[in-house]
């Protein structure tokens, strides 16, 4: 029996997460399963973060700091912003949802690319707001078309840089042009979930320097990817305190748990883990490109920890065949890309298992 619910939610489906390893083991009777489906860090969490979590276990009867006091101050120092410029969430995903809740109603719209992280649209839809999708140009955000899609009802423009699921990135010049064109009443959310992987690119924006000039700029980042803390849920956003003043009204008081705050602080001190992660990722991407080239598959050059590949056939069947061989990747049906798969970079051994399985699948009749 269904209870009456808000009609805005009628067409909203729950987010389909990547399949957990245990489920695939059970369903296919496998012992070894490689998961390259959720852009997780294959090197695991920083050992320093694990130690910090262990040290907190006897404090679990206490609520966490509601405002992430120590993490806030530490990160503000590292980023060169004021502590008031920051807000923290149960993953950066929660911050997107809270921003939607704080600023959107059914008279508004948001603007984003057609092939971008689906959680922006879900946040808007949940509040009754429309999403204006803008086609990409050669698999990259078309910043001029995005700016042109803004109208008087637009409250947010979301730009994932690098983009998920495509993996492409836009340059500092492009992002700056967008900021200069979009009216200051529109909050431009630069989603930098994959920042740590992309920042070595000389043209990657250093957007923090633009915060004073553009009070409508918000930058979201996460500890889930390069810091390897997806399981504990902590992300943050940098922006104008005037925006956080509103978001704080809908933020649950203890939204970032005690273990997550400690883990994030420790991870920030582990440069070795971060650089191993980033260099291992670059090696994995090159190996993938080489394998896809020799299999004759086209792909989008990635600035993140995953790659979007065109299978030139219904990708759902390839996905299923890979599952049977113990490799979980991500089908792209929800992104309306029925012939593409998104593959997260794994450990070297995992990447080789995937490449062997894919070669095998493509040589068989599926
Ligand atoms: N933004 C993008 C572009 C992402 O790919 C993800 C994770 N899939 C997130 C935000 C959310 O990450 P988290 O909630 O784990 O911080």
């Amino acid at each position: 029996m269904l209870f009456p619910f808000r009609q805005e939610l009628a067409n909203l489906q729950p987010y389909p997460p990547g399949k957990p390893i245990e489920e695939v083991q059970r369903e296919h009777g496998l012992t070894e399963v490689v998961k390259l489906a959720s852009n997780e860090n294959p090197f695991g969490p920083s050992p320093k973060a694990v130690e910090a979590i262990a040290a907190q276990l006897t404090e679990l009867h206490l609520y966490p700091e509601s405002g992430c006091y120590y993490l806030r101050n530490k990160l503000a120092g590292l980023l060169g912003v004021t502590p008031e410029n920051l807000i923290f969430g149960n993953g950066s995903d929660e911050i997107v949802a809270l921003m939607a809740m704080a600023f959107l109603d059914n008279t508004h719209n948001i603007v984003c690319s057609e092939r971008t992280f689906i959680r922006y649209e879900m946040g808007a839809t949940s509040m009754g707001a429309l999403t204006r999708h803008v086609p990409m140009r050669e698999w990259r955000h078309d910043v001029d078309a995005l700016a042109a899609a803004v109208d008087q009802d637009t409250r947010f423009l979301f730009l994932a840089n690098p983009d998920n699921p495509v993996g492409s990135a836009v340059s500092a010049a492009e992002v700056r042009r967008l900021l200069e064109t979009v009216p200051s009443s529109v909050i431009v959310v630069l989603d930098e979930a994959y920042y740590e992987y992309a920042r070595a690119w000389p043209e990657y924006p250093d957007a923090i320097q633009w915060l004073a000039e553009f009070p409508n700029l918000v930058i979201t980042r996460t500890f889930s990817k390069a810091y390897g803390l997806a399981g504990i849920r902590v992300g943050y956003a940098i922006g104008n305190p005037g925006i956080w003043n509103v978001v704080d009204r809908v933020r649950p008081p203890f939204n970032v748990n005690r273990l997550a705050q400690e883990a994030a602080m420790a991870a920030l001190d582990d440069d070795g883990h971060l650089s191993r992660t980033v260099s291992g990722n670059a090696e994995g991407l090159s190996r993938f490109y080489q394998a896809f080239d020799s299999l004759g598959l086209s792909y989008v050059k990635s600035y993140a920890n995953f790659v979007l590949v065109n299978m030139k056939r219904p990708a759902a069947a390839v996905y299923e065949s890979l599952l049977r061989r113990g490799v979980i990747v991500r089908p792209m049906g929800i992104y309306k890309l029925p012939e593409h798969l998104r593959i997260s970079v794994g450990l070297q051994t995992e990447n080789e298992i995937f490449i062997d399985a894919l070669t095998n699948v493509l040589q068989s009749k599926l």
Side-chain angles (χ1 to χ4, degrees):
M1 184 188 123
L2 270 186
F3 293 93
F5 63 91
R6 289 171 48 232
Q7 279 316 289
E8 281 98 343
L9 308 184
N11 296 320
L12 197 58
Q13 299 297 323
Y15 180 77
K19 258 184 190 271
I21 290 177
E22 296 80 359
E23 200 174 311
V24 175
Q25 283 174 328
R26 225 172 26 242
E27 281 176 10
H28 297 274
L30 297 162
T31 44
E32 292 293 314
V33 168
V34 169
K35 184 183 177 203
L36 303 177
S38 299
N39 305 342
E40 293 151 335
N41 188 331
F43 298 97
S46 144
K48 290 189 180 171
V50 175
E51 241 174 74
I53 292 166
Q56 275 295 311
L57 291 178
T58 53
E59 307 303 309
L60 290 182
H61 56 302
L62 301 173
Y63 282 106
E65 296 255 4
S66 174
C68 299
Y69 181 84
Y70 296 105
L71 175 58
R72 175 184 296 273
N73 281 288
K74 183 178 184 112
L75 192 57
L78 289 172
L79 297 174
V81 299
T82 69
E84 295 72 34
N85 282 126
L86 296 175
I87 194 164
F88 294 86
N90 193 252
S92 60
D93 189 61
E94 187 191 31
I95 302 173
V96 169
L98 293 176
M99 287 194 294
M101 210 189 288
F103 288 101
L104 295 176
D105 67 30
N106 62 6
T107 65
H108 300 142
N109 68 60
I110 68 157
V111 168
C112 62
S113 282
E114 208 168 37
R115 310 272 182 246
T116 196
F117 194 40
I118 202 159
R119 296 288 298 152
Y120 316 140
E121 178 178 4
M122 291 180 77
T125 307
S126 73
M127 299 310 298
L130 292 174
T131 299
R132 307 190 75 176
H133 287 293
V134 175
M136 283 186 147
R137 225 181 204 209
E138 291 169 4
W139 298 103
R140 297 175 74 252
H141 295 301
D142 183 342
V143 293
D144 303 307
L146 284 161
V150 167
D151 67 13
Q152 73 280 6
D153 299 326
T154 305
R155 289 290 177 276
F156 287 103
L157 190 154
F158 285 96
L159 192 83
N161 195 33
D163 185 62
N164 177 17
V166 175
S168 61
V170 285
S171 67
E174 288 166 295
V175 176
R176 197 167 159 101
R177 193 160 82 236
L178 179 79
L179 288 166
E180 283 168 355
T181 320
V182 168
S184 58
S185 59
V186 175
I187 299 175
V188 175
V189 181
L190 204 54
D191 182 340
E192 296 188 340
Y194 302 95
Y195 165 80
E196 294 80 10
Y197 298 102
R199 67 179 160 186
W201 179 37
E203 287 177 59
Y204 191 74
D206 174 14
I208 289 177
Q209 63 175 326
W210 299 328
L211 282 170
E213 195 180 348
F214 300 101
N216 58 328
L217 169 64
V218 161
I219 302 156
T220 59
R221 292 191 189 156
T222 184
F223 287 93
S224 297
K225 306 296 174 184
Y227 289 104
L229 294 174
I232 212 156
R233 314 300 301 128
V234 48
Y236 62 96
I238 319 157
N240 186 315
I243 297 175
W244 305 142
N245 178 295
V246 184
V247 175
D248 255 337
R249 300 173 200 203
V250 293
R251 182 177 66 82
F254 305 108
N255 61 326
V256 181
N257 73 71
R258 180 170 277 279
L259 304 182
Q261 293 187 32
E262 291 296 326
M265 277 192 286
L268 287 172
D269 284 335
D270 199 343
D271 292 339
H273 176 265
L274 189 64
S275 60
R276 267 192 305 282
T277 295
V278 172
S279 62
N281 184 67
E283 285 164 24
L285 280 177
S286 322
R287 176 69 184 108
F288 278 174
Y289 297 160
Q290 187 193 29
F292 297 147
D293 284 339
S294 65
L295 289 167
L297 301 174
S298 60
Y299 52 88
V300 182
K301 179 178 164 12
S302 174
Y303 291 79
N305 64 348
F306 56 85
V307 58
L308 184 73
V309 201
N310 186 345
M311 292 291 141
K312 297 190 297 187
R313 71 201 77 197
V318 180
Y319 164 74
E320 290 295 337
S321 301
L322 287 171
L323 268 190
R324 283 196 293 275
R325 288 164 171 83
V327 181
I328 318 174
V329 298
R330 195 63 158 258
M332 292 281 102
I334 57 161
Y335 291 103
K336 301 188 186 74
L337 293 168
E339 300 210 325
H340 286 76
L341 293 175
R342 192 195 66 193
I343 324 291
S344 307
V345 176
L347 296 174
Q348 208 177 354
T349 47
E350 297 173 322
N351 298 338
E352 295 307 326
I353 291 172
F354 158 70
I355 290 165
D356 282 350
L358 181 67
T359 308
N360 204 274
V361 166
L362 296 180
Q363 281 164 357
S364 69
K365 282 240 154 20
L366 293 175

